[in-house]
Amino acid sequence: MERITVANARRAETVGQQVRVQGWIRTRRDSKGGFSFLEVNDGSCMANIQVIADADLGNYESEIKKLSAGCSVTVDGEVKESGGKQATEILAKTVIVHGWADPDEFPLQKKRHSFEKLREWAHLRPRTNTFGAVARVRNCVCRSIHNFFQEDGFLYVHTPIITASDCEGAGEMFKVTTLDLDSPPKSDGKIDFSHDFFDRPSYLTVSGQLEAEIYATALGKVYTFGPTFRAENSNTSRHLAEFWMVEPEMAFYELEDNMELAESFLKRIFGDVMDQCGEDMQFFNEHIDKTVLETLSGIVDSEFVRLPYTEAISLLEKSGQDFEYPVSWGTDLQSEHERFLTEQEFKSPVILYDYPSTIKPFYMKVNDDGKTVRAMDVLVPKVGEIIGGSQREHRLDVLESRMAEQHLNADDYWWYIDLRKFGTVPHSGFGLGLERAVQFVTGMANIRDVIPFPRTPGNAEF
Ligand code: ATP
Ligand code: MN
């Protein structure tokens, strides 16, 4: 007996085969003619396979007629051509019940629950159509990320999750410690970290960039892809305290090369999702956001807008829009501004670049004007910033004066500075937030619904 997925059992080619499918009941319907229809789902695809269970099966009355949503089964039988909407169905020879799901208790019955409610059941929500589809699309995005870089000669490097450099000003950091918080060792009234596990204060990383630069300046083109952590208390639909970031870093790349890479990278991901997740994307387009497919295919076929920050500010100032936060040169863009640019002004992704140095971190390359740095943010409709990146400052003297400007202690970055002392090269990189990408392609409104176990202020139950 060949064990196959529901996705494969649904193909017309399997008609006539004896197969075994295993999964969870979505619905049971009894026909007057003395048999039952079971809809079985195993997560391999959105659709269920219909199983016909005849009344002459040994456990028909005792078990099959008691099956309800959530019960787990193994079905052995023959794949038949189906008269219904689907191509195939299975005529069961045996139905083994592994686990019951009391219909009075199992929450995922016919009633539709809100996404907010489903967050309370993070252990059950992957059994719904939406969360199954999100999981498959997320997987596809990850595969696409690796394929894109691997096919282009990038080396996958693993940067540390625990770090001692509280760098970058990318956001608040979570502390990592084994000290007894009730009575930490102190000297001069301050916590004495020489007794801590790492001999010093340490943190969960906010980005693997600085370490990726180490590998890029030895091996050329690299990428790191892992979890990152930000303790900022931003309760928005686009921020998580734990999220996954993919960060390519390339030696000998200038900002223009970086933009080109980011654009083709995003197009590859969007194209792969449309090619490989057709059924799931159809579902998102029908039930979540009726514009996602049109938006994605439009983006894949067109050029991203490239716009210097300074021009973006004057566009926003002239827009006549009544923004909640006023804009002027030197301020960071808020999501309302980003959305105006991508959704109204250009109706396209926009790569903003050359930001004021005052609102960007020390490591970004200073332009000849002395006021702006070679930063770039890729903005997309609805989600806003999806990628942040830059050409890095590779000139030792400029880097050191930027660090001094931002009151950073050069001793803490001795190894980063060494990269500029020994064989320095122009180099660039960026970070794509995986969840923002999944949010964008699926049209899901809240970032908490595109990661299996969201961590946000006050939430770490599962
Ligand atoms: P934002 O301005 O949206 O808060 P950021 O500028 O702080 O983001 P970067 O430090 O540039 O973010 O990080 C690179 C990318 O990581 C962002 O473009 C975004 O896709 C993603 N990202 C950043 N912070 C978060 C977060 N808290 N949750 C999920 N994704 C995030
Ligand atoms: Mn950013």
Side-chain angles (χ1 to χ4, degrees):
M1 188 70 60
E2 198 196 348
R3 180 162 32 173
I4 66 172
T5 59
V6 166
N8 282 334
R10 288 177 55 85
R11 293 171 200 266
E13 303 92 89
T14 56
V15 168
Q17 286 179 29
Q18 305 295 322
V19 300
R20 167 171 292 177
V21 296
Q22 301 180 296
W24 293 265
I25 300 287
R26 284 292 174 85
T27 61
R28 189 199 84 236
R29 198 157 50 81
D30 302 325
S31 127
K32 292 207 185 68
F35 57 91
S36 298
F37 296 104
L38 308 174
E39 291 284 333
V40 178
N41 190 286
D42 70 352
S44 59
C45 60
M46 163 87 48
N48 309 319
I49 185 86
Q50 174 165 286
V51 173
I52 317 281
D54 216 81
D56 57 18
L57 293 173
N59 59 347
Y60 185 73
E61 288 298 331
S62 61
E63 293 192 321
I64 292 172
K65 281 194 79 172
K66 293 179 185 152
L67 286 171
S68 57
C71 298
S72 49
V73 292
T74 290
V75 175
D76 288 354
E78 183 177 329
V79 181
K80 301 271 194 193
E81 204 171 304
S82 170
K85 274 183 284 174
Q86 65 283 12
T88 65
E89 60 193 22
I90 295 177
L91 181 60
K93 293 212 168 69
T94 61
V95 176
I96 296 169
V97 183
H98 299 279
W100 297 96
D102 183 345
D104 293 333
E105 283 185 58
F106 183 62
L108 306 179
Q109 304 289 339
K110 283 218 173 77
K111 180 180 178 316
R112 277 181 158 270
H113 297 285
S114 68
F115 292 148
E116 287 79 7
K117 190 75 206 158
L118 286 171
R119 276 176 221 143
E120 294 170 22
W121 297 318
H123 62 310
L124 296 175
R125 67 178 186 168
R127 297 193 199 180
T128 63
N129 286 337
T130 306
F131 289 90
V134 167
R136 286 183 295 270
V137 169
R138 186 179 163 108
N139 174 70
C140 175
V141 171
C142 294
R143 181 173 57 223
S144 181
I145 287 168
H146 282 296
N147 286 345
F148 176 84
F149 289 123
Q150 293 292 330
E151 289 164 18
D152 200 13
F154 280 70
L155 199 80
Y156 180 29
V157 299
H158 298 100
T159 48
I161 289 172
I162 299 175
T163 174
S165 54
D166 64 342
C167 47
E168 299 153 52
E172 295 288 305
M173 301 182 89
F174 288 100
K175 294 195 175 70
V176 174
T177 182
T178 52
L179 293 179
D180 179 0
L181 294 182
D182 289 326
S183 58
K186 293 202 173 168
S187 73
D188 296 338
K190 284 191 183 155
I191 293 180
D192 182 359
F193 284 98
S194 69
H195 294 283
D196 204 350
F197 193 91
F198 298 109
D199 257 5
R200 67 188 72 198
S202 48
Y203 309 88
L204 294 179
T205 186
V206 292
S207 158
Q209 177 202 320
L210 302 191
E211 294 90 350
E213 285 186 50
I214 295 177
Y215 271 74
T217 53
L219 298 158
K221 297 192 292 186
V222 305
Y223 68 108
T224 175
F225 186 11
T228 46
F229 306 86
R230 301 204 180 167
E232 58 206 356
N233 198 355
S234 40
N235 253 312
T236 77
S237 59
R238 310 178 309 130
H239 288 91
L240 291 162
E242 175 181 300
F243 64 99
W244 285 67
M245 184 145 61
V246 51
E247 296 174 276
E249 189 70 35
M250 299 74 63
F252 307 104
Y253 267 50
E254 309 214 345
L255 191 69
E256 290 69 23
D257 308 312
N258 206 22
M259 291 189 203
E260 228 158 84
L261 184 78
E263 179 167 347
S264 55
F265 175 53
L266 288 177
K267 286 179 174 172
R268 169 68 181 268
I269 294 174
F270 301 159
D272 281 355
V273 165
M274 286 190 289
D275 287 347
Q276 297 167 19
C277 300
E279 188 193 23
D280 292 323
M281 289 307 298
Q282 209 61 51
F283 173 87
F284 289 118
N285 203 59
E286 266 165 48
H287 298 281
I288 303 296
D289 176 350
K290 298 212 170 354
T291 65
V292 276
L293 282 177
E294 194 192 327
T295 306
L296 290 178
S297 48
I299 288 175
V300 169
D301 295 331
S302 63
E303 301 267 292
F304 290 12
V305 171
R306 297 182 188 192
L307 187 71
Y309 167 92
T310 302
E311 282 179 33
I313 293 297
S314 51
L315 272 174
L316 289 164
E317 283 172 338
K318 280 188 241 147
S319 69
Q321 297 283 309
D322 189 16
F323 293 120
E324 190 186 337
Y325 297 89
V327 274
S328 61
W329 202 93
T331 57
D332 217 348
L333 296 191
Q334 301 293 324
S335 105
E336 55 177 344
H337 311 129
E338 298 176 347
R339 294 189 63 163
F340 173 79
L341 293 172
T342 54
E343 292 169 25
Q344 281 164 264
E345 182 73 24
F346 296 109
K347 298 187 170 47
S348 152
V350 175
I351 309 183
L352 279 187
Y353 64 98
D354 285 350
Y355 281 74
S357 63
T358 47
I359 56 171
K360 290 292 181 186
F362 72 94
Y363 53 71
M364 296 189 176
K365 182 170 189 252
V366 180
N367 278 310
D368 292 342
D369 64 12
K371 292 192 310 187
T372 59
V373 290
R374 303 245 79 191
M376 61 171 219
D377 279 2
V378 183
L379 315 177
V380 293
K382 295 194 178 134
V383 173
E385 180 186 332
I386 191 168
I387 280 179
S390 67
Q391 181 169 344
R392 319 307 187 189
E393 184 54 75
H394 71 287
R395 298 162 296 184
L396 179 63
D397 52 336
V398 184
L399 183 73
E400 284 177 332
S401 61
R402 283 277 284 155
M403 291 181 71
E405 235 172 72
Q406 302 202 357
H407 309 292
L408 295 167
N409 182 359
D411 293 343
D412 295 342
Y413 295 90
W414 64 272
W415 50 269
Y416 192 73
I417 292 167
D418 263 7
L419 301 180
R420 279 72 184 165
K421 280 190 191 158
F422 308 128
T424 192
V425 289
H427 62 288
S428 302
F430 61 80
L432 167 74
L434 174 66
E435 288 75 18
R436 298 249 177 113
V438 178
Q439 234 188 318
F440 181 66
V441 298
T442 58
M444 294 291 285
N446 197 308
I447 199 165
R448 294 168 171 85
D449 298 327
V450 297
I451 186 167
F453 306 101
R455 270 84 182 93
T456 52
N459 296 305
E461 168 95 357
F462 294 90

mmCIF file of all heavy atoms in Angstrom, residues 360 377 385 388, ligand 2:
data_model
loop_
_atom_site.group_PDB
_atom_site.id
_atom_site.type_symbol
_atom_site.label_atom_id
_atom_site.label_comp_id
_atom_site.label_asym_id
_atom_site.label_seq_id
_atom_site.Cartn_x
_atom_site.Cartn_y
_atom_site.Cartn_z
ATOM 1 N N LYS A 360 20.281 57.787 10.200
ATOM 2 C CA LYS A 360 20.736 56.440 9.827
ATOM 3 C C LYS A 360 21.969 56.057 10.636
ATOM 4 O O LYS A 360 22.698 56.916 11.127
ATOM 5 C CB LYS A 360 21.034 56.392 8.323
ATOM 6 C CG LYS A 360 19.778 56.473 7.437
ATOM 7 C CD LYS A 360 18.911 55.207 7.562
ATOM 8 C CE LYS A 360 17.682 55.250 6.666
ATOM 9 N NZ LYS A 360 16.778 54.108 6.883
ATOM 10 N N ASP A 377 15.913 52.082 1.287
ATOM 11 C CA ASP A 377 14.796 51.316 1.827
ATOM 12 C C ASP A 377 13.901 50.945 0.667
ATOM 13 O O ASP A 377 13.610 51.788 -0.178
ATOM 14 C CB ASP A 377 13.969 52.159 2.816
ATOM 15 C CG ASP A 377 14.596 52.210 4.202
ATOM 16 O OD1 ASP A 377 15.685 51.626 4.390
ATOM 17 O OD2 ASP A 377 13.990 52.825 5.097
ATOM 18 N N GLU A 385 7.932 49.641 4.520
ATOM 19 C CA GLU A 385 9.323 49.175 4.386
ATOM 20 C C GLU A 385 9.403 47.658 4.479
ATOM 21 O O GLU A 385 8.959 47.053 5.450
ATOM 22 C CB GLU A 385 10.193 49.795 5.476
ATOM 23 C CG GLU A 385 11.637 49.319 5.356
ATOM 24 C CD GLU A 385 12.535 49.789 6.493
ATOM 25 O OE1 GLU A 385 12.283 50.843 7.081
ATOM 26 O OE2 GLU A 385 13.517 49.067 6.770
ATOM 27 N N GLY A 388 15.600 47.104 4.260
ATOM 28 C CA GLY A 388 16.448 48.238 4.606
ATOM 29 C C GLY A 388 17.889 47.853 4.329
ATOM 30 O O GLY A 388 18.301 46.750 4.683
HETATM 31 MN MN MN B 2 15.063 50.213 7.999
#
